[in-house]
Amino acid sequence: MKLSPVFQSLLTSAVFASVAVAQYATGDWSLVQEGHSGVSALELVVVSETTAVIFDKVEHNALQTNGHVAWATELDLVNKTVRPLNPTSNTWCGTGSFLSNGTMVSSGGNPIVIAGGNGLAAIRLFTPCEDGNCDVLEDQSVRRMASLRWYLSSARIEDGSILLIGGSWDNAIINMPNITNPTYEFYPPKNIHGYNGTPIHFPFLDETMNANYFPLFIQLPDGNFFVAANKQAMIFNWKTNEEVMRLPNIPNNVTISNPIPAGATLLPLRPETNYTPEVLICGGSSYPDDIPHWERFVMSSQEPTSDQCIRMVLNEEGIAKGWEVEQMPQPRIMSEMVLLPDGRVLILNGAQTGISGYTWASEQIGESDADHPALTPVLYDPTAAPGQRFSQDELPTSEIARMYHSTASMTPNGTVLIAGSNPNDDVEPDNEFPTEYRLEWLSPPYMTHVRPSYTGLPETFDYNSQITLDVDIPQDAQNVSVVLMDFGFATHGVHMDQRLLGLVSELSDDRSKLTVTGPPSATLYSPGPGYVFVLVDGVPSFGHKTLIGTGAQPPFDQGAFNNVLSQQPLYWNNWTAAHPETSDEERQLFSTISGQPAPTPTY
Ligand SMILES: *[C@@H]1O[C@H](CO)[C@@H](O)[C@H](O)[C@H]1NC(C)=O
Ligand SMILES: *[C@@H]1O[C@H](CO)[C@@H](O)[C@H](O)[C@H]1NC(C)=O
Ligand SMILES: *[C@@H]1O[C@H](CO)[C@@H](O)[C@H](O)[C@H]1NC(C)=O
Ligand SMILES: *[C@@H]1O[C@H](CO)[C@@H](O)[C@H](O)[C@H]1NC(C)=O
Ligand SMILES: *[C@@H]1O[C@H](CO)[C@@H](O)[C@H](O)[C@H]1NC(C)=O
Ligand SMILES: *[C@@H]1O[C@H](CO)[C@@H](O)[C@H](O)[C@H]1NC(C)=O
Ligand SMILES: *[C@@H]1O[C@H](CO)[C@@H](O)[C@H](O)[C@H]1NC(C)=O
């Protein structure tokens, strides 16, 4: 019998649909409120199987440490309690990424001086520990950036160091030509392109003014980077310092970076598709980004935001096709995108109107420059047919607004940790959108199933090497697979480094051993921490932690390192000239630490 083309395509989609269903565990979602972050979680990063680090700005949190207010904590993911940490400069508007040796680097932040450290050039190290004794290590006479950066991005690169890019050297609601830092640098510093550790000009950041804070910077399988800011996108090669290719602009004049950020992620990279990369960017705003529109009280907390989701396959064919455009159930800015181990994407948090920040817009809600929090997450299935990718009805709705300075992250246990929100200059318990300390834990349906488990993951897992795990999986298991995840670092609605890489694996005949091959290359997954999940019919095991590669130190160039330390950071003179009141700020800050009134807002 010959089928009509219509019937044939119906049949094909029915087959696809049944495969897609088998891929995911069925059941109910749940949302539980449990625990407090101690400080407001404006930056969030999982650092071990059982702990996460949370950074806040300096403000009047009740939690105290070393005789002053705490503005960072380590959260125990199991018993949901915190212990204060002690960064010595303000991490506000900073970023973070991991080195190959497992140390997390927090960089950049706020200029206000605390105990000798100005956060704008800060490099802070955090090496996770088991004994509860590790803390943030910071001494800018020993290590720091080569320039001042607030609202910067960071990325793990293939050699195990990190790349730091963009931002500005002074505080402002939006980037401006007189404060921008349109450069990139490395940590540890490299002697590359003749710069010997000092910042390297990045013209794309001049071109994408003004709304280009926290540019998207995502490593692709060939080692090049997908870069996007404002309404533009391109592919960049840091090894040659060249723009490889200009990509089509963001469709429909939508801006996708801060202060009106979209959520973004690389979709899962899988051996079945030869690791073909594809990016997904959802939300943003088409509010104009020229400076007069951003003068105080010009824009409103009621400005509409965008419901546009765009994705593009980053190979020759995909780029020729351009962006595929879809619509989310609601518009959003400041949302988070969290990859699930089963390959789907959660879009959560954020606001449906307004802009990032506080005390700047007209029609402020309390101090918030945004309104209409998006309270129900959206689930996006990248493998479903167009028109069937978004679902929301079965997802729980929160009672907690998570807007400016909110965060979310996948955890090793498979739950999604949701934290933060503080569209206020200081701690404000009484505003309509208060300073938020409550934590929420979102459990996808797979959490209700009997979980597969495994043992035998070594402390380091090298490229192309094979390891054998002892697995405990149900007898009727059909689809057994392994994924490696970087949960990334969440700051300001941007999720640095998040990725999911499918690993090649083979189950023994008696189904008790799973042989897993390490990532094929360091450009597919940079050396350093990763979490390995064994998935059985859409139900993930606990994600145990390993160091991909050998755990070796990142490359260290003593000459470039010394050169950075031998001179003032780039833009230091501009900053001191623009802030003759520095010593006053210091005094104000010390009064903050001792629990006196907070300094006046810097904007
Ligand atoms: C993982 O989550 C499950 C279900 O919520 C819980 O019973 C279990 O204690 C959690 N395990 C860890 C290590 O957090
Ligand atoms: C939570 O776990 C941590 C790490 O094991 C421990 O130090 C802390 O005392 C625990 N807190 C509570 C309240 O059980
Ligand atoms: C990791 O490398 C950085 C940069 O060289 C270094 O400062 C840090 O101490 C190293 N961490 C460990 C655990 O060796
Ligand atoms: C920073 O200061 C230098 C030296 O004073 C000056 O030449 C430069 O124009 C300033 N840059 C900006 C962006 O203001
Ligand atoms: C930069 O320009 C803006 C807008 O003209 C102005 O308000 C601000 O003071 C300037 N900042 C510096 C550091 O020059
Ligand atoms: C795109 O938005 C900018 C403001 O951000 C505006 O000036 C421009 O006219 C818009 N272009 C189109 C084609 O709508
Ligand atoms: C098996 O599961 C993996 C991971 O979820 C998925 O990528 C793959 O498509 C599934 N295979 C089949 C045949 O369903």
Side-chain angles (χ1 to χ4, degrees), residues 448-519:
T448 63
H449 289 247
V450 174
R451 312 275 298 274
S453 63
Y454 73 85
T455 55
L457 184 69
E459 269 174 39
T460 62
F461 187 8
D462 208 357
Y463 299 97
N464 295 302
S465 72
Q466 289 199 332
I467 57 168
T468 300
L469 306 176
D470 292 309
V471 290
D472 186 0
I473 57 172
Q475 270 315 309
D476 57 352
Q478 305 201 335
N479 182 355
V480 178
S481 63
V482 181
V483 300
L484 168 67
M485 289 189 74
D486 182 339
F487 301 143
F489 184 109
T491 176
H492 292 80
V494 186
H495 216 106
M496 309 296 163
D497 296 317
Q498 177 174 234
R499 68 171 56 209
L500 183 158
L501 183 72
L503 297 180
V504 173
S505 64
E506 203 184 329
L507 194 60
S508 65
D509 290 340
D510 70 356
R511 313 197 127 207
S512 71
K513 307 243 181 252
L514 191 62
T515 303
V516 188
T517 307

Side-chain angles (χ1 to χ4, degrees), residues 14-70:
V15 169
F16 275 139
S18 68
V19 169
V21 168
Q23 225 172 297
Y24 306 121
T26 54
D28 292 335
W29 291 76
S30 72
L31 181 69
V32 173
Q33 235 183 68
E34 192 187 349
H36 290 87
S37 48
V39 300
S40 187
L42 80 82
E43 294 163 35
L44 172 68
V45 56
V46 169
V47 296
S48 79
E49 288 184 12
T50 55
T51 52
V53 165
I54 292 171
F55 292 116
D56 192 1
K57 63 188 196 296
V58 173
E59 58 183 331
H60 290 86
N61 297 307
L63 187 69
Q64 304 278 312
T65 179
N66 284 356
H68 62 77
V69 292

Side-chain angles (χ1 to χ4, degrees), residues 267-594:
L267 291 173
L269 293 166
R270 304 223 184 248
E272 297 88 335
T273 55
N274 201 22
Y275 307 105
T276 304
E278 184 167 8
V279 285
L280 174 70
I281 304 175
C282 296
S285 167
S286 42
Y287 189 75
D289 75 330
D290 56 292
I291 298 306
H293 278 90
W294 288 81
E295 278 165 16
R296 199 162 198 153
F297 307 136
V298 174
M299 80 297 283
S300 155
S301 68
Q302 307 302 308
E303 302 299 343
T305 64
S306 173
D307 63 2
Q308 174 170 277
C309 265
I310 55 173
R311 57 191 276 187
M312 184 160 59
V313 177
L314 295 171
N315 61 16
E316 210 176 314
E317 196 189 336
I319 294 166
K321 257 170 89 181
W323 294 105
E324 181 185 350
V325 179
E326 303 172 273
Q327 270 80 39
M328 288 188 281
Q330 298 88 33
R332 289 180 196 236
I333 53 167
M334 305 186 280
S335 60
E336 274 284 339
M337 256 190 207
V338 173
L339 285 170
L340 302 183
D342 68 16
R344 291 181 293 179
V345 184
L346 264 180
I347 305 164
L348 68 167
N349 297 358
Q352 299 180 68
T353 64
I355 56 163
S356 291
Y358 44 80
T359 69
W360 199 259
S362 64
E363 302 180 83
Q364 287 167 31
I365 313 298
E367 292 166 45
S368 174
D369 293 345
D371 194 8
H372 303 99
L375 297 172
T376 312
V378 174
L379 182 65
Y380 183 83
D381 179 357
T383 65
Q388 294 167 19
R389 293 175 183 158
F390 297 96
S391 55
Q392 189 169 38
D393 293 347
E394 67 273 27
L395 279 101
T397 296
S398 176
E399 60 180 51
I400 304 177
R402 305 279 188 184
M403 303 200 295
Y404 191 51
H405 287 166
S406 67
T407 46
S409 178
M410 176 50 56
T411 70
N413 200 15
T415 54
V416 179
L417 167 57
I418 307 169
S421 193
N422 186 20
N424 301 292
D425 184 52
D426 198 354
V427 174
E428 282 297 341
D430 301 324
N431 279 348
E432 180 169 345
F433 300 123
T435 305
E436 198 50 69
Y437 299 103
R438 289 173 293 176
L439 301 174
E440 287 172 296
W441 309 80
L442 179 63
S443 293
Y446 55 65
M447 294 299 291
T448 63
H449 289 247
V450 174
R451 312 275 298 274
S453 63
Y454 73 85
T455 55
L457 184 69
E459 269 174 39
T460 62
F461 187 8
D462 208 357
Y463 299 97
N464 295 302
S465 72
Q466 289 199 332
I467 57 168
T468 300
L469 306 176
D470 292 309
V471 290
D472 186 0
I473 57 172
Q475 270 315 309
D476 57 352
Q478 305 201 335
N479 182 355
V480 178
S481 63
V482 181
V483 300
L484 168 67
M485 289 189 74
D486 182 339
F487 301 143
F489 184 109
T491 176
H492 292 80
V494 186
H495 216 106
M496 309 296 163
D497 296 317
Q498 177 174 234
R499 68 171 56 209
L500 183 158
L501 183 72
L503 297 180
V504 173
S505 64
E506 203 184 329
L507 194 60
S508 65
D509 290 340
D510 70 356
R511 313 197 127 207
S512 71
K513 307 243 181 252
L514 191 62
T515 303
V516 188
T517 307
S521 73
T523 52
L524 278 169
Y525 196 100
S526 295
Y531 295 82
V532 175
F533 293 89
V534 172
L535 275 137
V536 175
D537 298 328
V539 180
S541 65
F542 188 90
H544 293 288
K545 184 185 175 184
T546 186
L547 288 181
I548 298 301
T550 60
Q553 303 294 343
F556 189 81
D557 184 314
Q558 191 71 53
F561 193 85
N562 292 349
N563 188 43
V564 169
L565 285 180
S566 72
Q567 45 196 291
Q568 294 287 13
L570 183 64
Y571 302 120
W572 178 257
N573 293 334
N574 306 67
W575 188 80
T576 49
H579 293 272
E581 78 294 1
T582 304
S583 55
D584 286 339
E585 286 193 20
E586 264 178 84
R587 273 203 296 280
Q588 282 171 332
L589 195 83
F590 283 114
S591 74
T592 305
I593 293 173
S594 59

